[in-house]
């Protein structure tokens, strides 16, 4: 599957998981649970203070055990909700980055394809063309060195000067072409990498939301 199509599917898959947050504001729920945790912590402190005055107070001992259990439950619930919030933000971020990388990939790919047509090399891959251009550049650089050596022997030879200028121009153009193909190769790798990261982030998001739904259902 092409990266572009994959990212489009990824974006569609993300819609229903985001929609869950419309039913329950998870950030507000996390804040609410945070307040409840603070209240229970203070209640626990109060009970511990009472027990310091009267360690034999059976009711305070029972209440303390219940409050500590309640605190652990609230912390667990908040942790689950917070994980879902974090996973959603991460997934949104990764999806946007994947979309951005794919746009750059499309642009770089189009530029490379146009150059291929002008070079009559549409059937060749970007990697192959980059390697070929690299070899051509090396050849031209060596030829340039030879010309410069001739120039030392005949510094006033206009023909040699002209050949040197022409060879320098040729090298510059070859480098430009190689840069175009290298940019397309890099953009393609980047797009695939970002797409994989976005897929992983979405999977984590969905799992975190499933856990969050169970917590909310029990509240």
């Amino acid at each position: 599957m092409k990266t572009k199509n994959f990212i489009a599917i990824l974006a569609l898959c993300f819609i229903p998981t985001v929609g869950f947050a419309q039913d329950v504001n998870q950030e507000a729920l996390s804040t609410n649970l945070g307040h409840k945790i603070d209240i229970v912590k203070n209640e626990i402190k109060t009970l511990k203070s009472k027990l310091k005055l009267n360690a034999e107070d059976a009711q305070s001992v029972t209440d303390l055990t219940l409050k500590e259990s309640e605190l652990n439950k609230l912390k667990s619930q908040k942790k689950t909700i917070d994980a879902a919030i974090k996973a959603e933000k991460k997934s949104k971020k990764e999806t946007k980055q994947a979309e951005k990388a794919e746009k750059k990939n499309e642009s770089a790919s189009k530029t490379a394809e146009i150059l291929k047509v002008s070079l009559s090399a549409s059937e060749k891959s970007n990697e192959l063309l980059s390697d070929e251009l690299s070899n051509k550049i090396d050849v031209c650089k060596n030829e340039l060195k030879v010309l410069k050596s001739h120039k030392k022997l005949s510094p006033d030879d206009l023909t040699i000067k002209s050949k040197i200028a022409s060879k320098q121009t040729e090298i510059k153009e070859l480098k430009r072409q190689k840069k175009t193909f290298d940019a397309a190769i890099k953009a393609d790798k980047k797009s695939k990498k970002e797409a994989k990261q976005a897929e992983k982030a979405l999977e984590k998001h969905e799992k975190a939301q499933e856990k969050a739904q169970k917590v909310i259902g029990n509240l």
Side-chain angles (χ1 to χ4, degrees), residues 3-32:
T3 305
K4 180 180 179 181
N5 295 334
F6 171 75
I7 292 174
I9 293 172
L10 188 67
L12 289 173
C13 290
F14 186 65
I15 292 172
T17 54
V18 175
F20 172 70
Q22 295 174 354
D23 298 327
V24 177
N25 187 324
Q26 293 181 357
E27 291 190 1
L29 179 57
S30 175
T31 300
N32 187 295

mmCIF file of all heavy atoms in Angstrom, residues 3-32:
data_model
loop_
_atom_site.group_PDB
_atom_site.id
_atom_site.type_symbol
_atom_site.label_atom_id
_atom_site.label_comp_id
_atom_site.label_asym_id
_atom_site.label_seq_id
_atom_site.Cartn_x
_atom_site.Cartn_y
_atom_site.Cartn_z
ATOM 1 N N THR A 3 2.145 4.938 0.776
ATOM 2 C CA THR A 3 2.116 5.689 2.038
ATOM 3 C C THR A 3 0.963 6.677 2.073
ATOM 4 O O THR A 3 0.302 6.852 3.091
ATOM 5 C CB THR A 3 3.441 6.441 2.228
ATOM 6 O OG1 THR A 3 4.515 5.511 2.133
ATOM 7 C CG2 THR A 3 3.483 7.115 3.586
ATOM 8 N N LYS A 4 0.704 7.325 0.921
ATOM 9 C CA LYS A 4 -0.373 8.325 0.849
ATOM 10 C C LYS A 4 -1.714 7.693 1.201
ATOM 11 O O LYS A 4 -2.488 8.245 1.981
ATOM 12 C CB LYS A 4 -0.424 8.925 -0.553
ATOM 13 C CG LYS A 4 -1.513 9.977 -0.732
ATOM 14 C CD LYS A 4 -1.507 10.522 -2.141
ATOM 15 C CE LYS A 4 -2.616 11.557 -2.327
ATOM 16 N NZ LYS A 4 -2.658 12.091 -3.697
ATOM 17 N N ASN A 5 -1.998 6.526 0.618
ATOM 18 C CA ASN A 5 -3.257 5.850 0.894
ATOM 19 C C ASN A 5 -3.343 5.391 2.345
ATOM 20 O O ASN A 5 -4.391 5.438 2.970
ATOM 21 C CB ASN A 5 -3.421 4.643 -0.036
ATOM 22 C CG ASN A 5 -3.549 5.055 -1.489
ATOM 23 O OD1 ASN A 5 -3.992 6.155 -1.786
ATOM 24 N ND2 ASN A 5 -3.168 4.172 -2.399
ATOM 25 N N PHE A 6 -2.207 4.932 2.865
ATOM 26 C CA PHE A 6 -2.174 4.463 4.257
ATOM 27 C C PHE A 6 -2.509 5.590 5.220
ATOM 28 O O PHE A 6 -3.269 5.418 6.168
ATOM 29 C CB PHE A 6 -0.798 3.887 4.586
ATOM 30 C CG PHE A 6 -0.613 3.591 6.044
ATOM 31 C CD1 PHE A 6 -1.219 2.493 6.618
ATOM 32 C CD2 PHE A 6 0.132 4.438 6.847
ATOM 33 C CE1 PHE A 6 -1.075 2.230 7.970
ATOM 34 C CE2 PHE A 6 0.285 4.178 8.198
ATOM 35 C CZ PHE A 6 -0.325 3.069 8.751
ATOM 36 N N ILE A 7 -1.914 6.769 4.983
ATOM 37 C CA ILE A 7 -2.150 7.914 5.869
ATOM 38 C C ILE A 7 -3.607 8.358 5.802
ATOM 39 O O ILE A 7 -4.207 8.747 6.805
ATOM 40 C CB ILE A 7 -1.212 9.086 5.506
ATOM 41 C CG1 ILE A 7 0.231 8.702 5.834
ATOM 42 C CG2 ILE A 7 -1.599 10.351 6.251
ATOM 43 C CD1 ILE A 7 1.251 9.707 5.402
ATOM 44 N N ALA A 8 -4.202 8.265 4.615
ATOM 45 C CA ALA A 8 -5.615 8.632 4.465
ATOM 46 C C ALA A 8 -6.486 7.696 5.299
ATOM 47 O O ALA A 8 -7.412 8.124 5.979
ATOM 48 C CB ALA A 8 -6.008 8.559 2.997
ATOM 49 N N ILE A 9 -6.169 6.395 5.257
ATOM 50 C CA ILE A 9 -6.903 5.408 6.050
ATOM 51 C C ILE A 9 -6.676 5.648 7.536
ATOM 52 O O ILE A 9 -7.579 5.541 8.353
ATOM 53 C CB ILE A 9 -6.468 3.977 5.671
ATOM 54 C CG1 ILE A 9 -6.905 3.676 4.224
ATOM 55 C CG2 ILE A 9 -7.063 2.946 6.618
ATOM 56 C CD1 ILE A 9 -6.363 2.379 3.676
ATOM 57 N N LEU A 10 -5.441 5.991 7.869
ATOM 58 C CA LEU A 10 -5.075 6.261 9.264
ATOM 59 C C LEU A 10 -5.915 7.404 9.818
ATOM 60 O O LEU A 10 -6.427 7.343 10.939
ATOM 61 C CB LEU A 10 -3.591 6.615 9.348
ATOM 62 C CG LEU A 10 -2.978 6.750 10.745
ATOM 63 C CD1 LEU A 10 -2.965 5.396 11.432
ATOM 64 C CD2 LEU A 10 -1.565 7.298 10.652
ATOM 65 N N ALA A 11 -6.079 8.450 9.025
ATOM 66 C CA ALA A 11 -6.858 9.615 9.457
ATOM 67 C C ALA A 11 -8.323 9.241 9.672
ATOM 68 O O ALA A 11 -8.962 9.690 10.619
ATOM 69 C CB ALA A 11 -6.747 10.730 8.423
ATOM 70 N N LEU A 12 -8.857 8.375 8.798
ATOM 71 C CA LEU A 12 -10.242 7.942 8.924
ATOM 72 C C LEU A 12 -10.432 7.082 10.169
ATOM 73 O O LEU A 12 -11.439 7.183 10.862
ATOM 74 C CB LEU A 12 -10.651 7.138 7.679
ATOM 75 C CG LEU A 12 -10.825 7.951 6.381
ATOM 76 C CD1 LEU A 12 -11.068 7.005 5.214
ATOM 77 C CD2 LEU A 12 -11.968 8.946 6.509
ATOM 78 N N CYS A 13 -9.442 6.237 10.449
ATOM 79 C CA CYS A 13 -9.512 5.379 11.643
ATOM 80 C C CYS A 13 -9.476 6.202 12.921
ATOM 81 O O CYS A 13 -10.014 5.812 13.948
ATOM 82 C CB CYS A 13 -8.329 4.400 11.653
ATOM 83 S SG CYS A 13 -8.439 3.130 10.375
ATOM 84 N N PHE A 14 -8.842 7.356 12.852
ATOM 85 C CA PHE A 14 -8.659 8.188 14.036
ATOM 86 C C PHE A 14 -9.942 8.896 14.449
ATOM 87 O O PHE A 14 -10.148 9.198 15.608
ATOM 88 C CB PHE A 14 -7.565 9.223 13.747
ATOM 89 C CG PHE A 14 -7.179 10.041 14.953
ATOM 90 C CD1 PHE A 14 -6.584 9.440 16.043
ATOM 91 C CD2 PHE A 14 -7.399 11.417 14.976
ATOM 92 C CE1 PHE A 14 -6.210 10.187 17.146
ATOM 93 C CE2 PHE A 14 -7.035 12.170 16.078
ATOM 94 C CZ PHE A 14 -6.436 11.550 17.157
ATOM 95 N N ILE A 15 -10.842 9.126 13.486
ATOM 96 C CA ILE A 15 -12.066 9.883 13.741
ATOM 97 C C ILE A 15 -12.938 9.274 14.837
ATOM 98 O O ILE A 15 -13.313 9.947 15.784
ATOM 99 C CB ILE A 15 -12.888 10.066 12.442
ATOM 100 C CG1 ILE A 15 -12.118 10.989 11.486
ATOM 101 C CG2 ILE A 15 -14.260 10.640 12.742
ATOM 102 C CD1 ILE A 15 -12.743 11.098 10.103
ATOM 103 N N PRO A 16 -13.262 7.979 14.779
ATOM 104 C CA PRO A 16 -14.130 7.428 15.828
ATOM 105 C C PRO A 16 -13.509 7.418 17.209
ATOM 106 O O PRO A 16 -14.193 7.596 18.197
ATOM 107 C CB PRO A 16 -14.397 5.992 15.346
ATOM 108 C CG PRO A 16 -13.338 5.697 14.353
ATOM 109 C CD PRO A 16 -12.988 7.006 13.736
ATOM 110 N N THR A 17 -12.201 7.241 17.294
ATOM 111 C CA THR A 17 -11.562 7.211 18.612
ATOM 112 C C THR A 17 -11.554 8.596 19.232
ATOM 113 O O THR A 17 -11.656 8.757 20.431
ATOM 114 C CB THR A 17 -10.123 6.689 18.511
ATOM 115 O OG1 THR A 17 -9.412 7.458 17.566
ATOM 116 C CG2 THR A 17 -10.103 5.240 18.104
ATOM 117 N N VAL A 18 -11.432 9.603 18.387
ATOM 118 C CA VAL A 18 -11.478 10.976 18.891
ATOM 119 C C VAL A 18 -12.899 11.312 19.319
ATOM 120 O O VAL A 18 -13.137 12.024 20.280
ATOM 121 C CB VAL A 18 -11.014 11.968 17.799
ATOM 122 C CG1 VAL A 18 -11.191 13.403 18.280
ATOM 123 C CG2 VAL A 18 -9.545 11.740 17.462
ATOM 124 N N GLY A 19 -13.861 10.768 18.588
ATOM 125 C CA GLY A 19 -15.263 11.039 18.874
ATOM 126 C C GLY A 19 -15.672 10.650 20.280
ATOM 127 O O GLY A 19 -16.579 11.232 20.851
ATOM 128 N N PHE A 20 -15.006 9.657 20.850
ATOM 129 C CA PHE A 20 -15.317 9.214 22.214
ATOM 130 C C PHE A 20 -15.176 10.355 23.206
ATOM 131 O O PHE A 20 -15.960 10.479 24.138
ATOM 132 C CB PHE A 20 -14.388 8.053 22.596
ATOM 133 C CG PHE A 20 -14.501 7.667 24.038
ATOM 134 C CD1 PHE A 20 -15.641 7.036 24.509
ATOM 135 C CD2 PHE A 20 -13.483 7.961 24.935
ATOM 136 C CE1 PHE A 20 -15.750 6.677 25.836
ATOM 137 C CE2 PHE A 20 -13.590 7.609 26.267
ATOM 138 C CZ PHE A 20 -14.734 6.965 26.719
ATOM 139 N N ALA A 21 -14.192 11.215 22.985
ATOM 140 C CA ALA A 21 -13.929 12.321 23.904
ATOM 141 C C ALA A 21 -15.060 13.350 23.885
ATOM 142 O O ALA A 21 -15.170 14.170 24.781
ATOM 143 C CB ALA A 21 -12.600 12.992 23.550
ATOM 144 N N GLN A 22 -15.918 13.273 22.848
ATOM 145 C CA GLN A 22 -17.026 14.221 22.759
ATOM 146 C C GLN A 22 -18.113 13.868 23.769
ATOM 147 O O GLN A 22 -18.872 14.715 24.220
ATOM 148 C CB GLN A 22 -17.600 14.212 21.340
ATOM 149 C CG GLN A 22 -16.598 14.717 20.290
ATOM 150 C CD GLN A 22 -17.124 14.573 18.884
ATOM 151 O OE1 GLN A 22 -18.185 13.991 18.670
ATOM 152 N NE2 GLN A 22 -16.406 15.107 17.911
ATOM 153 N N ASP A 23 -18.215 12.565 24.126
ATOM 154 C CA ASP A 23 -19.230 12.133 25.086
ATOM 155 C C ASP A 23 -18.812 12.467 26.510
ATOM 156 O O ASP A 23 -19.623 12.855 27.336
ATOM 157 C CB ASP A 23 -19.456 10.618 24.953
ATOM 158 C CG ASP A 23 -19.981 10.257 23.575
ATOM 159 O OD1 ASP A 23 -20.722 11.072 22.992
ATOM 160 O OD2 ASP A 23 -19.634 9.172 23.088
ATOM 161 N N VAL A 24 -17.534 12.283 26.786
ATOM 162 C CA VAL A 24 -16.999 12.564 28.120
ATOM 163 C C VAL A 24 -15.731 13.405 27.979
ATOM 164 O O VAL A 24 -14.802 13.016 27.285
ATOM 165 C CB VAL A 24 -16.668 11.257 28.869
ATOM 166 C CG1 VAL A 24 -16.049 11.572 30.219
ATOM 167 C CG2 VAL A 24 -17.910 10.403 29.034
ATOM 168 N N ASN A 25 -15.729 14.561 28.617
ATOM 169 C CA ASN A 25 -14.536 15.407 28.587
ATOM 170 C C ASN A 25 -13.512 14.802 29.540
ATOM 171 O O ASN A 25 -13.598 14.967 30.759
ATOM 172 C CB ASN A 25 -14.901 16.835 29.013
ATOM 173 C CG ASN A 25 -13.732 17.790 28.836
ATOM 174 O OD1 ASN A 25 -12.576 17.431 29.051
ATOM 175 N ND2 ASN A 25 -14.043 19.017 28.455
ATOM 176 N N GLN A 26 -12.562 14.096 28.970
ATOM 177 C CA GLN A 26 -11.605 13.364 29.792
ATOM 178 C C GLN A 26 -10.693 14.286 30.598
ATOM 179 O O GLN A 26 -10.303 13.946 31.722
ATOM 180 C CB GLN A 26 -10.777 12.428 28.909
ATOM 181 C CG GLN A 26 -11.624 11.315 28.319
ATOM 182 C CD GLN A 26 -10.821 10.364 27.455
ATOM 183 O OE1 GLN A 26 -9.633 10.565 27.244
ATOM 184 N NE2 GLN A 26 -11.470 9.333 26.948
ATOM 185 N N GLU A 27 -10.371 15.442 30.053
ATOM 186 C CA GLU A 27 -9.519 16.380 30.788
ATOM 187 C C GLU A 27 -10.254 16.915 32.013
ATOM 188 O O GLU A 27 -9.662 17.063 33.089
ATOM 189 C CB GLU A 27 -9.065 17.513 29.875
ATOM 190 C CG GLU A 27 -8.084 17.048 28.803
ATOM 191 C CD GLU A 27 -7.445 18.199 28.049
ATOM 192 O OE1 GLU A 27 -7.750 19.363 28.364
ATOM 193 O OE2 GLU A 27 -6.636 17.925 27.140
ATOM 194 N N ALA A 28 -11.536 17.196 31.846
ATOM 195 C CA ALA A 28 -12.343 17.667 32.981
ATOM 196 C C ALA A 28 -12.487 16.550 34.014
ATOM 197 O O ALA A 28 -12.446 16.792 35.226
ATOM 198 C CB ALA A 28 -13.723 18.107 32.497
ATOM 199 N N LEU A 29 -12.633 15.318 33.513
ATOM 200 C CA LEU A 29 -12.761 14.172 34.412
ATOM 201 C C LEU A 29 -11.468 13.967 35.203
ATOM 202 O O LEU A 29 -11.505 13.693 36.402
ATOM 203 C CB LEU A 29 -13.070 12.915 33.598
ATOM 204 C CG LEU A 29 -13.218 11.605 34.380
ATOM 205 C CD1 LEU A 29 -14.305 11.735 35.446
ATOM 206 C CD2 LEU A 29 -13.544 10.464 33.427
ATOM 207 N N SER A 30 -10.340 14.130 34.541
ATOM 208 C CA SER A 30 -9.038 13.994 35.206
ATOM 209 C C SER A 30 -8.892 15.046 36.302
ATOM 210 O O SER A 30 -8.428 14.741 37.407
ATOM 211 C CB SER A 30 -7.906 14.140 34.192
ATOM 212 O OG SER A 30 -6.655 14.134 34.834
ATOM 213 N N THR A 31 -9.313 16.258 35.995
ATOM 214 C CA THR A 31 -9.248 17.341 36.982
ATOM 215 C C THR A 31 -10.137 17.036 38.173
ATOM 216 O O THR A 31 -9.759 17.230 39.337
ATOM 217 C CB THR A 31 -9.686 18.674 36.348
ATOM 218 O OG1 THR A 31 -8.806 18.983 35.248
ATOM 219 C CG2 THR A 31 -9.631 19.811 37.359
ATOM 220 N N ASN A 32 -11.338 16.522 37.874
ATOM 221 C CA ASN A 32 -12.288 16.174 38.923
ATOM 222 C C ASN A 32 -11.721 15.082 39.830
ATOM 223 O O ASN A 32 -11.823 15.157 41.061
ATOM 224 C CB ASN A 32 -13.593 15.696 38.269
ATOM 225 C CG ASN A 32 -14.706 15.477 39.275
ATOM 226 O OD1 ASN A 32 -14.609 14.603 40.119
ATOM 227 N ND2 ASN A 32 -15.760 16.270 39.175
#
